[in-house]
Amino acid sequence: MGYHEKLQPEMNSMSPLRMFDVAVVVMALLSCVSVPLTLVQAQRGFISIDCGLSAAAYTDANNITWVPDTGYTFTGENVDLLTSDTKTLQSLRYFPEGRRKDCYVLPAIPNNTYMVRVFLYADFLGTGAPPTFDLEIEALSVGQINFTGSAENNVAAQIYSTSSAENNVQAYEGYLSATKDTIYVCLARITGDPFISSLELRPLNTTSMYTIVQQGSYLFNLYHANFGSTTPIIRYPHDVYDRQWQNDIQQVNPISSFAINTMTPVNVSSPGDMVPELVMQSAESWPGGQGLNLTLPYLTSDNRDYYVAFYFAEIDPLAQNQTRVFDLVLNQGPSEDHYLNISVVSLAGGMYMAMELGDTNVTFNSSSGSIQLIPHADSQLGPVLNALELFQLTPPAPNLTFVSDALAIEIVKEAFSLTSWLGDPCAYTPYDWITCTNDTIPRVEALKLSNYNLTGTIPAAALTNLTALTKLWLDYNSLEGPIPDLSVLKNLQSIQLENNIMGGTPFWLASLPSLHELLLSNNNLSGTLPSALLNDTSLTFDYLGNPMLCNATGGCPPPPSPSRISPPSPSPISNSTLHSANVPAIVGGVVGGLFVAAAFTLVLIYVFCYKHPTTSGGGGSGLWVYSS
């Protein structure tokens, strides 16, 4: 983001506060996200998911179209609630399957900036203990969801108490730049069953809005504060990006300040973060000689970094010779940043012109951070403030799984019908059946798919790309076909393939230098085992239960015996059937017996009369010769 003007601060800390005065950017259409035709939204690029919704899509009072979560996730169960007046909180999806994590996959455009918002309504829990789980966006753990604590203890949490029945609602709003054509939003189990009420994706203006996320950092909103407004929340369509601007962040003193409102249009083209015009048409002002001392809520005490933006516009016509000049002091704990001589009319370029003043990286050293607006002694009017945004700023997010590994796992999922496992294989929480390295870019080092009811053949082309693999466990399934050649996986240490129906002769297994466990029992392997496997005393090797498999000393099993056909079991016959069949059976038996006896007698006569052997020569014993 460009900064064309900069105030002259007295700096007592390392984080400079800057003037956001970005050149006018014509607001383009929101980036179009490719979604299934059945999920097309009324707003270009908006995805608004009413999680657990079993009915058809609907449009709310803000003209936002909400759709069921079918197609965005493949696990979990729906729950209908009757305790909320808010439509999007009347259903939710929870995940009782017991997986380590359950995910949604949202379509995105690489390098575009997005806002992801999650609502969680815990009222369905009744008297049961609330679950505890992590909310994850891409490879980043946003924070632990725990409804037993207050919102201040959760990262970037807001409590929306729109009614007494909805005090158990938490909202998380993150800003990020997409690194690929999808964005993962996952719930990682700690205790109990995770749940989610709604999920929203909003494309932002990538050119100017919150550009720090283009460097890999994430922003998590603490609040969009709208001063002086009588409207509780301003959002879409007034904010075309659907941020939710609240008119009270608790600590503003209404006695010493007064609201200013105008119907006059306000030029909002300058602020890079695209503040809505309706937000800038209200402000809070303080009488001459008085100012603002605002403690910032929801700060933590662990020295986190924040992104703060202030919005100003002079919307109260100034009388001749009236001035409004003030200083802004940002208290960061032991240090302060002073920003002097703020004259909104001068800096913004006139009346009804919006300006943005912000710091992209400020560290509050305690939970008592605050801002002060201090009027100059010679200023006839006190300070003015239209809006404020505060975000928690993360360092650059961790990396997703090594690309070739992630692609290989997608093929494995397709081959083994595991496509309900969504999200990144390794980050932030790995799949139940995957173990990953702790490298900066995580690698898949173990596939543990024992007893997963797998069928078909092993996808060799995919597995050979998992070059960091040390464990391959596919035992107790129904896999068939030959064991494929995986000799390129030189790091393999443990292979468990027992109790399948695989065949072939896996000669390549002897070429693995790190192998110390090889379990092949109870398959249909054949051929001769390599002597290198049999003679390796460091190898745990089990190959029993393969009747066609030979060892290196020639000890092959005998050929299988000819199969015998067992006689069919006799069928029960009723008494009447037996009686009606007696006479023909007896007659047939007698006639058949006589015929067999006659035939046998004729054979004996033929043998002894016409085929009787004689001796060669004339008498005595000798070689029997048959003559006719």
Side-chain angles (χ1 to χ4, degrees):
M1 187 179 299
Y3 307 104
H4 302 295
E5 294 185 53
K6 185 174 181 181
L7 297 178
Q8 299 175 359
E10 290 180 356
M11 300 302 296
N12 293 323
S13 72
M14 293 299 293
S15 59
L17 195 68
R18 298 172 179 173
M19 174 88 172
F20 292 83
D21 188 11
V22 182
V24 176
V25 178
V26 178
M27 186 178 297
L29 291 174
L30 296 178
S31 301
C32 180
V33 177
S34 175
V35 296
L37 290 178
T38 56
L39 304 179
V40 171
Q41 302 285 291
Q43 304 75 33
R44 185 179 295 273
F46 278 26
I47 296 178
S48 306
I49 302 172
D50 187 342
C51 301
L53 178 68
S54 55
Y58 63 90
T59 301
D60 66 13
N62 296 307
N63 199 33
I64 294 175
T65 302
W66 293 85
V67 299
D69 50 11
T70 306
Y72 294 106
T73 189
F74 301 117
T75 54
E77 297 181 12
N78 296 349
V79 174
D80 293 325
L81 304 176
L82 302 176
T83 55
S84 174
D85 297 329
T86 303
K87 176 68 174 174
T88 54
L89 300 182
Q90 291 176 1
S91 63
L92 59 79
R93 182 176 291 268
Y94 81 109
F95 300 91
E97 291 92 344
R99 293 185 178 187
R100 192 180 294 166
K101 73 176 178 182
D102 295 273
C103 298
Y104 285 76
V105 178
L106 307 176
I109 299 175
N111 302 316
N112 279 19
T113 302
Y114 291 90
M115 180 251 283
V116 175
R117 186 161 52 218
V118 175
F119 276 86
L120 306 150
Y121 181 32
D123 194 64
F124 88 105
L125 298 170
T127 58
T132 302
F133 54 95
D134 275 339
L135 174 63
E136 300 173 2
I137 299 178
E138 292 287 84
L140 185 71
S141 175
V142 177
Q144 188 177 111
I145 310 299
N146 187 344
F147 280 87
T148 61
S150 62
E152 290 87 343
N153 294 328
N154 292 312
V155 177
Q158 298 176 72
I159 298 295
Y160 287 85
S161 302
T162 54
S163 72
S164 58
E166 292 172 4
N167 290 332
N168 289 326
V169 179
Q170 293 188 19
Y172 290 76
E173 187 177 287
Y175 294 70
L176 71 154
S177 176
T179 59
K180 56 188 188 330
D181 60 1
T182 56
I183 293 175
Y184 302 135
V185 179
C186 301
L187 309 174
R189 173 187 314 273
I190 298 176
T191 62
D193 299 328
F195 64 92
I196 183 171
S197 299
S198 67
L199 175 59
E200 302 163 72
L201 184 73
R202 303 288 186 258
L204 305 179
N205 186 310
T206 300
T207 304
S208 67
M209 295 180 71
Y210 313 112
T211 55
I212 194 170
V213 302
Q214 294 293 326
Q215 303 171 22
S217 297
Y218 285 32
L219 293 174
F220 289 97
N221 174 249
L222 297 180
Y223 38 81
H224 310 280
N226 179 23
F227 292 93
S229 176
T230 58
T231 304
I233 294 180
I234 293 175
R235 60 175 303 183
Y236 185 87
H238 300 290
D239 186 332
V240 296
Y241 302 104
D242 197 29
R243 293 162 294 185
Q244 298 190 5
W245 300 82
Q246 298 172 274
N247 70 345
D248 180 19
I249 56 171
Q250 303 176 4
Q251 272 75 14
V252 174
N253 186 347
I255 298 176
S256 63
S257 64
F258 58 91
I260 305 173
N261 287 270
T262 184
M263 297 295 293
T264 303
V266 177
N267 187 330
V268 294
S269 62
S270 180
D273 289 330
M274 300 293 188
V275 61
E277 181 183 19
L278 185 58
V279 169
M280 298 306 295
Q281 288 178 315
S282 66
E284 201 84 22
S285 184
W286 288 261
Q290 298 187 35
L292 167 68
N293 189 347
L294 173 62
T295 299
L296 298 172
Y298 301 122
L299 297 181
T300 61
S301 58
D302 52 358
N303 296 335
R304 299 197 183 193
D305 294 330
Y306 295 86
Y307 177 108
V308 59
F310 302 92
Y311 299 93
F312 303 96
E314 188 59 80
I315 60 174
D316 189 17
L318 301 180
Q320 189 174 6
N321 299 323
Q322 271 190 326
T323 60
R324 189 194 305 275
V325 182
F326 55 92
D327 299 336
L328 187 152
V329 179
L330 189 58
N331 297 307
Q332 304 175 34
S335 62
E336 294 180 347
D337 285 348
H338 293 253
Y339 304 89
L340 309 178
N341 304 319
I342 299 174
S343 171
V344 176
V345 172
S346 299
L347 293 174
M351 292 285 298
Y352 306 108
M353 300 286 290
M355 58 171 279
E356 181 178 357
L357 174 66
D359 190 339
T360 59
N361 192 350
V362 56
T363 300
F364 290 104
N365 295 315
S366 71
S367 59
S368 59
S370 64
I371 61 170
Q372 290 179 283
L373 301 179
I374 304 171
H376 279 203
D378 57 352
S379 177
Q380 289 82 18
L381 300 175
V384 66
L385 180 60
N386 300 68
L388 164 67
E389 289 184 287
L390 185 64
F391 300 87
Q392 193 171 101
L393 174 67
T394 74
N399 290 299
L400 297 169
T401 303
F402 190 68
V403 172
S404 63
D405 285 13
L407 293 174
I409 293 300
E410 288 301 310
I411 298 173
V412 169
K413 286 159 55 176
E414 289 287 342
F416 289 154
S417 298
L418 298 171
T419 52
S420 65
W421 294 84
L422 301 179
D424 189 77
C426 291
Y428 177 78
T429 299
Y431 293 162
D432 294 24
W433 41 275
I434 284 179
T435 302
C436 301
T437 67
N438 293 322
D439 298 337
T440 302
I441 300 178
R443 301 292 310 273
V444 174
E445 66 176 356
L447 286 185
K448 300 179 179 180
L449 285 165
S450 305
N451 201 23
Y452 265 73
N453 297 315
L454 307 181
T455 59
T457 59
I458 295 176
L463 294 185
T464 53
N465 285 316
L466 299 175
T467 55
L469 201 65
T470 62
K471 295 181 177 66
L472 178 61
W473 295 356
L474 301 174
D475 49 310
Y476 290 91
N477 288 294
S478 298
L479 298 175
E480 55 189 358
I483 298 176
D485 186 347
L486 303 177
S487 56
V488 297
L489 303 181
K490 299 301 183 183
N491 295 310
L492 275 175
Q493 300 173 15
S494 172
I495 299 176
Q496 298 185 10
L497 301 177
E498 70 267 32
N499 293 288
N500 282 283
I501 48 177
M502 290 182 286
T505 306
F507 296 106
W508 60 271
L509 290 167
S511 67
L512 298 177
S514 303
L515 191 66
H516 63 73
E517 181 180 55
L518 178 59
L519 306 182
L520 303 176
S521 60
N522 299 319
N523 276 284
N524 290 329
L525 302 181
S526 60
T528 302
L529 286 171
S531 58
L533 292 176
L534 296 169
N535 298 330
D536 188 348
T537 58
S538 66
L539 176 67
T540 300
F541 185 21
D542 185 359
Y543 58 92
L544 298 178
N546 291 279
M548 297 301 296
L549 193 62
C550 306
N551 60 40
T553 61
C556 297
S561 301
S563 59
R564 297 182 179 182
I565 302 176
S566 300
S569 301
S571 303
I573 304 176
S574 64
N575 288 334
S576 59
T577 304
L578 183 63
H579 181 268
S580 63
N582 273 343
V583 173
I586 292 172
V587 172
V590 170
V591 173
L594 291 174
F595 179 83
V596 170
F600 183 73
T601 301
L602 291 174
V603 169
L604 290 177
I605 293 171
Y606 176 81
V607 169
F608 284 97
C609 294
Y610 295 93
K611 291 283 194 175
H612 194 279
T614 59
T615 61
S616 60
S621 63
L623 179 65
W624 290 95
V625 179
Y626 286 99
S627 59
S628 56

